[in-house]
Amino acid sequence: MADAVTRLFPGTKVTIGPAIETGFYYDFDPPRPFTDEDLPAIEAEMQKIIAAGGQFRREEVGRDQAEKLFGGMGETYKLEILSGIAGDAPISLYRHGDSKFVDLCRGPHVGDLSEIKAFKLTSVAGAYWRGDERNPMLSRIYGTAFAAKADLDAHLKMIEEAKKRDHRKLGQQLELFTIDPKIGPGLVLWLPKGGLVRYHIEEFMRRTLLDSGYELVFTPHVSRDELWRISGHLENYKENMFSGLDIEGQTYLVKPMNCPFHCTIFGTRLRSYRELPLRLAELGTVYRYERSGVLGGLLRVRGFTQDDAHLFCRREQQEEELTRTLSLCLRILRAFGFSDYKLFLATRPEKSVGAPELWAESEAALALALEKNGLPFEYDHGGGAFYGPKIDLKLRDAIGREWQCSTIQLDYNLPERFELEYVGPDGQRHRPVMIHRAFFGSVERFFGVLIEHYAGAFPLWLAPVQARVLPVSEEKHRGFADEVVAALKAAGLRAEADYSNEKLGARIRDAQLQKIPYMIVLGDKEVEARTVSPRSRDGKQHEPQKLEDFISRLRQEAQVPA
Ligand code: ZN
């Protein structure tokens, strides 16, 4: 693709072009920004290059030679990349066929051009050089390639489906949330309808946690720097934190995590082993600095609410606690319609705290918890946090995409730093084990995934409006329409009537666009017989039925999952 682009658009500088999960992209600095209209010509040029045939050839060169080559070509970005390659690392070039094109690339590439059987350029986007908004804006071209045409077609169909489900588009269409530049990138405004969905998500979460032996706590958004010094955040995490406020000569920082607060709560008095496990849960809003270039909708944000909890227990309890936590996690995800996931056990990284025996014991405890829940998993060797091993869960949505979601982590670091202790049955003081866990990860991100999973058509218990009443004529049918809405509301259902002046067809279409689960059209027949003929958002027309029967059916369907 880079060869084709530089042939068609002389003067274009090439930058980086990695393989990504669903294909590849390449960032270019062209004389004018690329648009989607440029893609067919680039694809045609790529076809020509492939048709000309030939092999991909790797060549390792010295730094001087590479600098001379790319300097001579005016490829300034490549020179910058070169300067970032460590002195002893190999510098490799790739060429193909008889083309003049040469790229600085780590590789590997396919062996021969003929192996590229099916490809497609999918989109163009602006992207800052190195993801930093102070750098020049580049033109990024996304594409994908497959070994067979049928696989490409299936993939393109999936992309089409994904576009329809884009939570940014649906968030606007369904008035769920917005992000306003004068507030700042990555900071989310939840609109009333999104707020209502969130209320039901959070209520479900809180009730489930209280039923599962958790206790709810609330902690501030800011705290003195002292807290972050003890927790180690100032040392290890400062570049991700929103900077300090100076108040009465003290520096305060905005919290990026809730853990230090929960440790402080544990430490408010000496604990007895009888209190353990102590499970402190908080829907805690945190702020983290992410480069503006990587922010996107609800999936990467700067302010978000974690469904966070910290479990403090004895070493002997850690295995059972992990098993319980994992099974609760799966139960909660199932309630939201997710039952397909992949699990990873991330083990000790190179840089870590805590004795190796402790790590081995804890990794074994995590593995056992997975096995006890009958869950297959893969190891992510060295992928653990520096303070302990963890289980990560990626869920698969309705169209097969994977999303990083839940995490369950063991921590040896914070109990040590906060000098947490409990008195054991032996009368001695002991250090508790600490487990961090989040099931949604962040409420914002989970909501984004939920919108895409359901394509905005939330299950009844989450839908902001569950039924909309559409009188054929306001004049003739308003009385009964008001009665129906009142009866639905009295039964605890979320209902409204549409009395706008639009034609009935337009009002039905609007309800469908809003993905409202049930529409109830009321005309002479219904008013006369005092019945309703509900229509589902998928277009299914139900039999006329008594209002009471409809309500009891709806209440059944709207029940919060167990
Ligand atoms: Zn934590």
Side-chain angles (χ1 to χ4, degrees), residues 177-191 295 297-298 301-302:
F177 70 92
T178 190
I179 292 170
D180 190 298
K182 73 177 163 297
I183 289 173
L187 299 168
V188 180
L189 293 175
W190 292 70
L191 303 177
L295 299 172
L298 295 175
V301 289
R302 283 179 175 168

Side-chain angles (χ1 to χ4, degrees), residues 186-424:
L187 299 168
V188 180
L189 293 175
W190 292 70
L191 303 177
K193 285 198 174 123
L196 199 50
V197 179
R198 175 166 172 164
Y199 167 79
H200 290 286
I201 293 174
E202 290 192 353
E203 272 304 287
F204 167 80
M205 187 53 118
R206 272 192 276 259
R207 191 155 317 139
T208 307
L209 293 181
L210 286 173
D211 290 347
S212 309
Y214 282 76
E215 295 174 85
L216 302 181
V217 296
F218 296 86
T219 66
H221 288 229
V222 296
S223 95
R224 282 183 46 206
D225 54 358
E226 178 62 10
L227 183 76
W228 308 108
R229 193 163 297 123
I230 296 171
S231 68
H233 282 83
L234 280 188
E235 199 181 314
N236 298 310
Y237 205 74
K238 192 156 190 244
E239 65 279 13
N240 298 88
M241 294 172 73
F242 276 64
S243 48
L245 316 158
D246 196 343
I247 291 173
E248 295 179 344
Q250 302 271 9
T251 304
Y252 286 74
L253 290 142
V254 184
K255 71 170 164 184
M257 294 185 198
N258 304 301
C259 341
F261 294 91
H262 294 186
C263 287
T264 306
I265 290 174
F266 182 96
T268 43
R269 62 175 168 75
L270 187 60
R271 303 282 172 178
S272 153
Y273 72 95
R274 290 195 183 84
E275 295 177 74
L276 307 184
L278 183 70
R279 308 181 184 95
L280 302 179
E282 176 176 18
L283 287 156
T285 304
V286 298
Y287 297 86
R288 294 181 191 172
Y289 168 63
E290 300 254 20
R291 285 183 306 192
S292 53
V294 303
L295 299 172
L298 295 175
L299 300 180
R300 281 288 276 280
V301 289
R302 283 179 175 168
F304 56 96
T305 301
Q306 292 181 303
D307 65 313
D308 206 0
H310 297 93
L311 321 175
F312 301 89
C313 66
R314 297 157 66 188
R315 277 277 283 286
E316 310 85 281
Q317 294 171 318
Q318 91 176 5
E319 191 190 303
E320 198 201 322
E321 198 54 22
L322 288 168
T323 306
R324 278 182 55 130
T325 304
L326 199 52
S327 96
L328 180 62
C329 174
L330 300 184
R331 203 180 104 205
I332 286 173
L333 294 181
R334 223 171 11 246
F336 288 92
F338 297 109
S339 48
D340 194 0
Y341 32 75
K342 262 201 214 156
L343 288 144
F344 299 88
L345 201 175
T347 61
R348 185 177 170 207
E350 255 173 59
K351 197 188 141 208
S352 64
V353 297
E357 310 85 69
L358 203 59
W359 276 84
E361 183 193 313
S362 304
E363 286 166 12
L366 287 170
L368 208 64
L370 286 158
E371 278 155 23
K372 279 196 176 163
N373 280 286
L375 298 166
F377 64 95
E378 282 171 40
Y379 276 98
D380 173 6
H381 293 287
F386 76 93
Y387 50 77
K390 58 177 179 168
I391 293 172
D392 281 330
L393 182 147
K394 269 189 188 173
L395 50 83
R396 204 171 291 138
D397 73 5
I399 58 170
R401 293 171 302 173
E402 287 178 356
W403 307 90
Q404 171 65 47
C405 172
S406 321
T407 183
I408 301 173
Q409 315 187 345
L410 275 164
D411 187 347
Y412 308 124
N413 186 43
L414 285 184
E416 202 69 42
R417 282 178 169 270
F418 280 89
E419 298 174 352
L420 303 182
E421 287 179 331
Y422 68 90
V423 177

